[in-house]
Amino acid sequence: QKEVEQNSGPLSVPEGAIASLNCTYSDRGSQSFFWYRQYSGKSPELIMSIYSNGDKEDGRFTAQLNKASQYVSLLIRDSQPSDSATYLCAVSWGKLQFGAGTQVVVTP
Amino acid sequence: DVKVTQSSRYLVKRTGEKVFLECVQDMDHENMFWYRQDPGLGLRLIYFSYDVKMKEKGDIPEGYSVSREKKERFSLILESASTNQTSMYLCASSFFPGLPTDTQYFGPGTRLTVL
């Protein structure tokens, strides 16, 4: 059974701090990795995609991929209350497999 | 911008009814997907399609069928709705032919309640 694992949270982060989210996956053949944000009652929206080892930055978000250790992480710098949401990790191995998500709560 | 629309945001049906959920995308995407999302279980793939009139089973196809008569439209059908099909249903699409691992864009979702 191929799996994508995330801590469910909630991850409580003070406003202005860095939120660090982790995701591990079971299939070494995975090619593409995605982070989606989902607000309560809404559908997932893409934040980042990453395909090769290392870091990828986009604004306040940084995705980090380590294929050897089979994990992908997301850092949110200068966290804002509007970042409060559930963050879904998705990994592809022929089709996209989603983790159950990590809930992030940014406290003022 | 990619736009994926779903026919209803909220739907209430009775056990045994036949239910149609419609999804339309306006970006000429090749691939379309249906997921359901339940608390603690994440998104689970029901069916997907790479092309018109083709379909592939996902992880949980039982109790569902799909139809793709036109490239932009992908329908999910619950032949005889049951209470355990109460869920949030999400449609998604992606561009590259035969590459289901491409970025997927989601519709707003349909919250279905089966009484």
Side-chain angles (χ1 to χ4, degrees):
Chain A
Q1 178 78 8
K2 297 175 180 176
E3 294 182 342
V4 178
E5 300 283 347
Q6 297 181 254
N7 288 327
S8 60
L11 177 65
S12 184
V13 180
E15 184 174 356
I18 296 175
S20 178
L21 291 75
N22 294 315
C23 171
T24 59
Y25 59 93
S26 61
D27 190 337
R28 288 189 175 275
S30 300
Q31 299 283 328
S32 309
F33 306 84
F34 305 89
W35 282 100
Y36 285 82
R37 177 176 61 200
Q38 187 174 24
Y39 292 113
S40 180
K42 304 293 186 182
S43 61
E45 55 180 330
L46 182 72
I47 300 176
M48 299 276 288
S49 58
I50 187 166
Y51 303 96
S52 54
N53 281 329
D55 295 0
K56 180 180 178 182
E57 187 174 317
D58 185 356
R60 295 186 296 111
F61 298 98
T62 299
Q64 299 173 318
L65 175 61
N66 184 324
K67 289 186 178 180
S69 299
Q70 295 175 241
Y71 81 79
V72 55
S73 62
L74 180 71
L75 300 178
I76 308 173
R77 290 183 302 281
D78 188 24
S79 296
Q80 302 296 310
S82 59
D83 295 326
S84 297
T86 297
Y87 290 80
L88 304 175
C89 172
V91 177
S92 74
W93 48 64
K95 60 184 179 185
L96 212 54
Q97 184 83 23
F98 286 84
T102 297
Q103 184 186 4
V104 172
V105 179
V106 180
T107 54
Chain B
D1 275 355
V2 176
K3 189 159 186 184
V4 182
T5 57
Q6 295 182 229
S7 50
S8 305
R9 287 303 312 275
Y10 300 94
L11 207 54
V12 180
K13 295 292 182 181
R14 298 220 173 262
T15 301
E17 281 193 77
K18 191 169 186 176
V19 181
F20 293 87
L21 303 182
E22 301 282 333
C23 175
V24 177
Q25 51 92 5
D26 67 355
M27 288 302 293
D28 202 33
H29 280 182
E30 302 291 331
N31 311 311
M32 297 188 74
F33 307 83
W34 274 108
Y35 294 89
R36 63 177 285 176
Q37 186 175 32
D38 302 287
L41 296 178
L43 281 96
R44 291 180 291 167
L45 182 63
I46 304 171
Y47 268 97
F48 59 102
S49 169
Y50 295 147
D51 199 356
V52 175
K53 295 192 183 294
M54 74 78 59
K55 59 188 178 184
E56 293 282 346
K57 291 180 180 179
D59 298 319
I60 52 164
E62 296 79 18
Y64 304 93
S65 62
V66 290
S67 172
R68 195 170 181 196
E69 297 294 321
K70 293 184 178 181
K71 188 176 184 180
E72 67 271 19
R73 187 179 299 270
F74 192 35
S75 301
L76 180 69
I77 303 155
L78 287 66
E79 296 289 343
S80 177
S82 63
T83 55
N84 62 13
Q85 292 178 310
T86 291
S87 186
M88 169 72 92
Y89 289 88
L90 290 159
C91 175
S93 70
S94 67
F95 177 65
F96 287 104
L99 191 67
T101 58
D102 186 27
T103 302
Q104 294 185 18
Y105 298 91
F106 285 85
T110 296
R111 185 165 293 281
L112 172 67
T113 302
V114 182
L115 301 176

